[in-house]
Amino acid sequence: MQFPYSWLKTQANPDLSADKLEHLLTMAGLEVEEIDTAAPAFSGVVVAEVKSVEKHPDADRLNVTQVDAGTGELVQIVCGAPNVKPGIKVPCSLPGAVLQGNFKIKPTKMRGVPSNGMLCSTNELGLPDDGVDGLHILPEDAPVGANIREYLDLDDTLFTLKITPNRADCLSVKGIAREVSALTQCAFRPVEIQTAFIGSEKKQAVRIDAPADCGRFISRVIENVNAKAATPDWMKQRLERSGIRSISALVDIGNYVMLEIGQPMHVFDADKLSGSLIVRRAQNGETLACLNEKTVTLADNTLVVADEKGALSLAGLMGGEASAVSDDTQNIVLEAAWFAPEIIAGKSRQYGFGSDSSFRFERGVDYRLQADAIERATELVLQICGGAAGEMVEAQGKLPEAKQVELRLGRLKTVLGVEIPAEQVEIILQHLGLQPEKTEEGFRVTSPSFRFDIEIEADLIEEIGRVYGYENIPDDYTSGRLKMLALPETKRPRFAVYNEMAARGYREVVSYAFVDEQWEQDFAANTNPIRLQNPLAAQYAVMRSTLIGGLVEVLQNNLNRKQNRVRVFEIARVFSKDSADQFVQNERIGGLWYGSVLPEQWGEKTRNVDFYDMKADVESLLKNKEVSFVKTEHPALHPGRAANIVSDGKVVGFVGELHPKWLQKYDLPQAPLVFEIDMDTVLGREKTRYQSVSKFQAARRDLAFVMPEAVTHDDLLNALKAAANKLVQEISVFDVYRGTGVPEGMKSVAVKIILQDMENTLTDEVIEPLVAKMIKAAAEKDAQLRA
């Protein structure tokens, strides 16, 4: 909402500078986004009257003028404006004047003729374009010699407010004046609404066919208007300083009334209407050519104003071209209505355009303002365009009901922490237009028609607090002992996970929790995802059940920017349904590794990341847990390069290479490795167990087993571990060989076994029987000791 301070002062005139008013409004919840002056800084420009005009002797497009600038003698100025002529009054910058951009005016010669100043256009003064090619023509009664900044009030301050959705009452000068009056206790002087003289018997019938959507609809015919009448300068100035371009007198009057008192209006050409004006729902497929030169196809969730032939305008949003006023208009119909906010909300997005009217209607307009708006507009039309007004015709639907709200002074003190006298509370409520009635515990307020947000006691307490001034509520310091609770020994600090991932070269990313439905089908085989009722966009229609889609999207964005080595992770929630169709959300950590293992360098050969690189990262992340990796199939992963992560007999995640078919679909040159793990598992850890260090040397035995390809190394290690005893400290694979000396379809797996006793030095008599037992256990898994 933008408005000039000078306009506000006509309804509430606080004794405050613009800066102080800015602070006051912001602290009261009406945030001031910007304040500016009506024109850029310049000085030395005065009102001057052109006395004579002669052609320049050496230039066809220049004229030599003599002007009266109030200095006591005529000033000669060379001017090239095409509209210069004797008798007009224009802005004139004399020598010494400084225009915008620090441009200084000095006496000069133009083609040999002395020129002692410059006659100015709106552009040279930094004013809004008036559509005139040449000088800015001032009114005939402009006083010669007057400072142009004072005459045109160019030092006026323009306020731009960021109005919250619940304060639609402040989307007008009247509403803001009411607020300023309450905040400063200055007089509130709203515009006096004059009842129009009825000079015509013509009426426009109206009807409401959607009473739940339209509570009130009023029309008035005004005959014999002069549609070509010029909009007065004072009205054009207020509109322009409020951010609205002047179009024509009839259109400007509707916009002016909307800004002045807050009621959007529409003006129809009466001779283009057929029968009654009807408020109804649109028919599916019905079309309308709008004033913005767009033709829209309407849906049945849209409210329209129509006549007997068809739709004339999108109710509360945009008028139609077929019934618009023009310079040839002779008779008009003024229309003002109250539309339910919920029927207007969302239509701007649905049809791809909005308006100042829809901005107000979808937030809620005062449902008792329509007749006042018609009377105010009638007064201005008769004053500017002439004509004869007929009687108002009104139709009513369902209007909101006023709510009664109780305010307890004791509760007010408890919530705000300060005692405000009852007399002051009553004055505040009165200035806000809430009409308080005294009760035993405080006051009873009936919510006014312009305040949809006054529903409960807390709303009234908020009003009292902001008008009283949050700065006037004293600070109350609390004291207490804060004790940091120790993290359980079985719980890992969250920051340690972030540090671990960063130390291994991963960068954290944050992606949307709502994703493309296709991602869910591709990466999770989820054909029944949790759908959003009102998605931001079509590609964000469902909630994610896996983090892979977001990580792949990050990879695509990096590849598009020529980043060929990517390691990213994300810790976030995923969403699913349980067996009872209830929503479940779990926190998971997901990671993606793409490209080479190491950055390009001279010391190491380039090698692309593989399954075991990613598996090593997962093992490092879960180093405080006993986990195993079990071959699996996953919709997102390569069928031969994927494993479930198992802890305590439960699958807690997966790791593997992205499936080849997704590489082609998502345009990935090579396969990334991904993992995803429950955060509860990552954050959990085994309780620390302490044991002494053996004083005796460890023994090592290396065994090589030849076994079928189908036998996994986990099968081998599990067999060896089952046959081991407490002397065996470690069993691990250190080599895998296929080739000469090993039969086809077989592989050689070399295992190291570390043995150590805490009390004695190990001897061959102790070691060999144990190793033989382990070899026998391996043989039962078709793993024969290699000769």
Side-chain angles (χ1 to χ4, degrees):
M1 172 64 187
Q2 181 177 316
F3 64 92
Y5 197 5
S6 60
W7 194 359
L8 176 67
K9 287 180 178 180
T10 63
Q11 298 192 38
N13 190 8
D15 187 18
L16 294 175
S17 66
D19 289 340
K20 289 184 177 179
L21 181 62
E22 174 196 12
H23 178 77
L24 184 68
L25 289 173
T26 299
M27 292 304 297
L30 304 178
E31 181 184 350
V32 179
E33 284 192 302
E34 182 182 7
I35 59 172
D36 201 359
T37 54
F42 62 81
S43 61
V45 182
V46 298
V47 176
E49 182 179 0
V50 179
K51 292 296 187 179
S52 65
V53 178
E54 296 179 358
K55 281 291 183 183
H56 191 290
D58 295 322
D60 293 338
R61 296 186 180 182
L62 296 180
N63 295 294
V64 181
T65 67
Q66 301 293 326
V67 303
D68 179 5
T71 59
E73 56 184 18
L74 296 181
V75 180
Q76 178 172 292
I77 296 177
V78 177
C79 176
N83 62 339
V84 65
K85 60 182 180 180
I88 62 172
K89 293 183 178 178
V90 295
C92 174
S93 52
L94 297 174
V98 180
L99 301 184
Q100 58 174 332
N102 204 30
F103 177 67
K104 297 181 180 180
I105 301 299
K106 301 176 181 178
T108 186
K109 287 186 177 182
M110 299 185 70
R111 294 288 184 93
V113 177
S115 179
N116 296 307
M118 183 173 74
L119 304 183
C120 301
S121 65
T122 54
N123 183 56
E124 288 158 340
L125 298 180
L127 301 178
D129 186 7
D130 58 1
V132 175
D133 182 18
L135 303 176
H136 179 41
I137 309 298
L138 299 173
E140 295 180 359
D141 59 355
V144 172
N147 186 306
I148 200 71
R149 294 196 73 93
E150 295 177 1
Y151 175 68
L152 295 178
D153 195 17
L154 299 183
D155 290 320
D156 191 7
T157 302
L158 308 184
F159 286 82
T160 302
L161 304 187
K162 185 178 181 180
I163 304 296
T164 53
N166 66 312
R167 294 307 307 274
D169 60 299
C170 290
L171 291 172
S172 66
V173 174
K174 178 182 179 181
I176 297 167
R178 184 191 297 115
E179 284 290 305
V180 171
S181 172
L183 294 170
T184 65
Q185 308 300 306
C186 71
F188 175 43
R189 301 186 300 273
V191 175
E192 293 185 9
I193 305 299
Q194 305 291 334
T195 302
F197 172 76
I198 304 303
S200 170
E201 297 181 357
K202 192 75 178 288
K203 296 181 181 180
Q204 174 61 56
V206 296
R207 188 174 84 234
I208 298 175
D209 287 352
D213 301 331
C214 178
R216 179 174 283 122
F217 191 65
I218 303 178
S219 71
R220 166 174 275 166
V221 175
I222 304 180
E223 295 185 291
N224 302 319
V225 298
N226 177 15
K228 296 180 181 179
T231 302
D233 289 338
W234 61 268
M235 181 179 288
K236 290 172 73 172
Q237 183 186 86
R238 287 180 175 178
L239 289 173
E240 289 167 353
R241 293 183 182 181
S242 299
I244 293 182
R245 180 173 57 91
S246 175
I247 298 174
S248 67
L250 293 174
V251 176
D252 291 349
I253 288 169
N255 288 331
Y256 183 84
V257 172
M258 177 184 69
L259 292 174
E260 186 177 57
I261 65 176
Q263 171 66 48
M265 298 186 63
H266 191 67
V267 184
F268 293 100
D269 188 323
D271 298 323
K272 296 178 181 178
L273 304 182
S274 179
S276 299
L277 285 179
I278 308 163
V279 181
R280 60 170 173 83
R281 290 289 185 100
Q283 300 172 2
N284 273 325
E286 192 173 5
T287 60
L288 176 67
C290 299
L291 288 173
N292 60 0
E293 299 181 353
K294 290 185 177 182
T295 299
V296 295
T297 301
L298 305 176
D300 59 7
N301 67 345
T302 305
L303 197 67
V304 297
V305 177
D307 61 7
E308 305 294 346
K309 289 184 177 180
L312 298 173
S313 68
L314 285 167
L317 182 62
M318 182 73 67
E321 188 176 353
S323 58
V325 295
S326 66
D327 287 348
D328 298 327
T329 297
Q330 295 181 345
N331 307 303
I332 63 171
V333 174
L334 298 178
E335 171 260 301
W338 183 86
F339 301 120
E342 54 270 20
I343 192 62
I344 307 300
K347 298 304 180 292
S348 296
R349 188 169 67 176
Q350 179 177 341
Y351 292 106
F353 55 84
S355 64
D356 290 309
S357 295
S358 65
F359 189 80
R360 287 162 173 78
F361 275 125
E362 64 188 9
R363 286 159 174 76
V365 171
D366 184 348
Y367 57 84
R368 293 179 179 170
L369 199 58
Q370 291 69 47
D372 286 351
I374 292 287
E375 292 287 14
R376 177 60 171 154
T378 301
E379 177 185 356
L380 293 171
V381 169
L382 297 181
Q383 175 185 329
I384 298 169
C385 303
E391 294 279 358
M392 284 193 293
V393 179
E394 178 176 346
Q396 280 201 9
K398 183 179 179 181
L399 290 169
E401 296 181 359
K403 297 181 178 65
Q404 286 197 335
V405 185
E406 300 280 346
L407 173 64
R408 297 166 292 171
L409 294 177
R411 182 62 179 166
L412 177 68
K413 179 181 177 181
T414 300
V415 174
L416 294 184
V418 63
E419 186 170 3
I420 303 176
E423 296 78 9
Q424 188 173 357
V425 171
E426 185 175 15
I427 291 173
I428 291 174
L429 294 174
Q430 287 174 346
H431 277 279
L432 288 171
L434 302 181
Q435 302 174 357
E437 301 175 11
K438 289 185 178 180
T439 63
E440 290 185 4
E441 294 186 279
F443 297 93
R444 180 184 298 110
V445 167
T446 300
S447 59
S449 57
F450 54 85
R451 290 299 298 270
F452 288 85
D453 58 321
I454 303 296
E455 295 184 337
I456 59 176
E457 185 178 34
D459 296 329
L460 292 177
I461 293 175
E462 179 187 7
E463 292 299 298
I464 299 297
R466 68 182 188 82
V467 175
Y468 177 76
Y470 296 127
E471 294 173 307
N472 297 324
I473 299 175
D475 296 331
D476 186 9
Y477 296 96
T478 59
S479 61
R481 298 183 65 183
L482 299 178
K483 184 178 180 181
M484 298 295 292
L485 299 178
L487 194 67
E489 189 177 358
T490 56
K491 193 76 171 176
R492 187 182 186 188
R494 292 183 68 89
F495 72 84
V497 179
Y498 290 93
N499 289 345
E500 173 77 20
M501 297 303 292
R504 298 191 71 83
Y506 288 83
R507 294 173 181 263
E508 185 185 10
V509 298
V510 178
S511 59
Y512 283 124
F514 22 86
V515 299
D516 192 330
E517 185 173 354
Q518 191 62 49
W519 292 1
E520 284 296 295
Q521 295 180 16
D522 292 348
F523 301 130
N526 184 6
T527 58
N528 185 27
I530 300 172
R531 301 182 186 281
L532 295 171
Q533 291 184 352
N534 188 25
L536 290 176
Q539 66 268 31
Y540 299 128
V542 301
M543 301 299 291
R544 66 187 174 196
S545 64
T546 176
L547 301 176
I548 296 179
L551 295 173
V552 170
E553 183 182 42
V554 170
L555 172 60
Q556 288 178 308
N557 290 336
N558 277 274
L559 292 176
N560 291 338
R561 289 158 180 79
K562 307 302 180 184
Q563 299 297 318
N564 296 320
R565 186 173 182 272
V566 179
R567 298 179 77 176
V568 292
F569 79 99
E570 180 172 15
I571 298 176
R573 296 191 179 277
V574 295
F575 306 85
S576 58
K577 299 177 184 177
D578 61 16
S579 57
D581 215 28
Q582 298 295 313
F583 296 152
V584 178
Q585 53 179 318
N586 297 308
E587 190 176 34
R588 298 176 74 84
I589 178 172
L592 179 146
W593 189 353
Y594 176 90
S596 59
V597 175
L598 297 172
E600 186 176 1
Q601 56 172 295
W602 62 269
E604 294 285 345
K605 290 184 178 180
T606 299
R607 178 177 68 83
N608 288 333
V609 60
D610 61 22
F611 175 87
Y612 297 101
D613 295 312
M614 181 63 91
K615 179 173 176 285
D617 283 351
V618 171
E619 289 175 329
S620 175
L621 188 62
L622 297 172
K623 57 190 173 188
N624 294 315
K625 300 285 289 185
E626 288 289 340
V627 297
S628 61
F629 297 84
V630 180
K631 182 180 177 181
T632 188
E633 291 188 3
H634 189 283
L637 304 180
H638 191 297
R641 300 171 187 172
N644 279 335
I645 303 168
V646 179
S647 175
D648 296 329
K650 178 183 176 182
V651 176
V652 297
F654 58 83
V655 58
E657 183 180 297
L658 201 66
H659 200 292
K661 63 183 177 181
W662 306 139
L663 304 188
Q664 182 176 1
K665 180 172 181 177
Y666 292 94
D667 196 23
L668 302 177
Q670 65 188 58
L673 279 296
V674 296
F675 74 82
E676 193 171 305
I677 314 172
D678 288 335
M679 271 300 286
D680 286 343
T681 302
V682 176
L683 295 176
R685 62 182 178 184
E686 302 292 340
K687 187 174 182 179
T688 304
R689 295 189 298 269
Y690 299 93
Q691 63 182 33
S692 60
V693 178
S694 177
K695 301 177 182 179
F696 303 97
Q697 185 175 352
R700 171 172 172 162
R701 292 291 186 270
D702 291 344
L703 305 174
F705 295 93
V706 177
M707 58 190 190
E709 290 283 1
V711 179
T712 67
H713 89 285
D714 266 355
D715 294 335
L716 175 63
L717 294 183
N718 289 335
L720 296 174
K721 289 177 182 178
N725 61 21
K726 65 178 184 178
L727 297 180
V728 178
Q729 304 297 314
E730 179 186 348
I731 304 174
S732 61
V733 175
F734 68 87
D735 184 48
V736 177
Y737 172 73
R738 298 175 180 89
T740 305
V742 177
E744 188 176 351
M746 306 290 280
K747 59 186 175 183
S748 174
V749 179
V751 178
K752 72 173 180 178
I753 302 174
I754 306 296
L755 304 97
Q756 190 174 39
D757 194 344
M758 301 297 294
E759 298 177 354
N760 300 294
T761 300
L762 291 176
T763 63
D764 288 344
E765 288 77 9
V766 175
I767 295 173
E768 294 307 327
L770 177 56
V771 172
K773 181 181 177 183
M774 297 172 71
I775 292 172
K776 182 179 179 181
E780 294 176 358
K781 294 293 184 180
D782 292 333
Q784 302 296 326
L785 192 65
R786 184 178 177 186

